[in-house]
Amino acid sequence: MKKMKLKPFVKVSFVGLIMCLSLVGIFLASNNNSSSKVMKEDNYTYVNDYIFDNYYPVANQEEKITRPYVSSNVSIYKNFYENEDDDEKQQNSIIFHENTYMQNSGVDYKSEEQFDVVASIGGTVTNISDDPLLGKTIEVKNSNEIIVMYQSLGEVLVKKGELVTQGQIIAKSGKCTLNKDINNGLHLEIYKNGQIVNPEKYFDKTLKELLEK
């Protein structure tokens, strides 16, 4: 059989086709590598946001601080102790335990029946503990400036590191050694810049107002 020879223009076209295919392959490979790199970097950033202890969601400055319960049957058992209060209110702000009088560092609430404890602000659960004297405690932090402590709890419904939203049920009311005469209670404390403040003065006020005071 007679051997066929490629004409010059056919050879040129064939070489050009090979070169085009090679360039397309290199371009696709480059895109795949870039995509993989972006995915790895995105995942790395996402993980970093949640594994470090100093990560807290940015607080909404217009969010109003709400009461830590919704039941209408809850009332104040012990007030927050303040030096400027009258004698009657100060007497109601003193805790007596084992022959010792202590100024109440928060507000104690009680009810005849168990009630839901809800988050007064959104934030991160930074600690959960069970103290022999104070009972079960949940600490929620929404920035480096505001911390809310819920104590004397019954059942705890959140975990350390969990993000909670305002109004979310985080626990059930309970009891502690300091308030033996109530079975369904809650001790609430609010800290601003490391200083404790009276929660009753800040309910229905925005976080911005709390930080400005």
Side-chain angles (χ1 to χ4, degrees), residues 75-92:
S75 60
I76 294 178
Y77 172 69
K78 289 286 183 181
N79 291 306
F80 178 88
Y81 186 91
E82 293 193 287
N83 293 324
E84 60 268 25
D85 285 340
D86 56 41
D87 291 342
E88 182 179 352
K89 196 167 186 179
Q90 283 185 345
Q91 288 178 5
N92 183 254

Side-chain angles (χ1 to χ4, degrees), residues 40-126:
K40 289 179 181 178
E41 290 177 350
D42 286 347
N43 288 337
Y44 180 79
T45 301
Y46 175 79
V47 172
N48 270 356
D49 283 345
Y50 290 89
I51 62 174
F52 290 112
D53 291 337
N54 61 355
Y55 172 79
Y56 302 102
V58 176
N60 179 3
Q61 299 297 298
E62 298 305 318
E63 181 179 87
K64 290 186 176 182
I65 301 170
T66 61
R67 292 186 173 274
Y69 56 85
V70 293
S71 173
S72 59
N73 297 321
V74 178
S75 60
I76 294 178
Y77 172 69
K78 289 286 183 181
N79 291 306
F80 178 88
Y81 186 91
E82 293 193 287
N83 293 324
E84 60 268 25
D85 285 340
D86 56 41
D87 291 342
E88 182 179 352
K89 196 167 186 179
Q90 283 185 345
Q91 288 178 5
N92 183 254
S93 306
I94 296 294
I95 298 172
F96 181 73
H97 177 69
E98 294 185 350
N99 298 319
T100 302
Y101 290 94
M102 297 175 287
Q103 298 174 350
N104 197 14
S105 57
V107 178
D108 292 282
Y109 303 94
K110 69 172 184 176
S111 178
E112 293 299 321
E113 56 189 23
Q114 190 175 63
F115 58 91
D116 292 332
V117 177
V118 301
S120 293
I121 58 173
T124 301
V125 178
T126 50

Side-chain angles (χ1 to χ4, degrees), residues 200-213:
E200 285 291 322
K201 288 186 174 181
Y202 293 99
F203 291 138
D204 297 324
K205 289 184 170 58
T206 65
L207 294 176
K208 183 178 179 180
E209 289 176 300
L210 174 57
L211 294 173
E212 289 176 346
K213 286 184 176 294

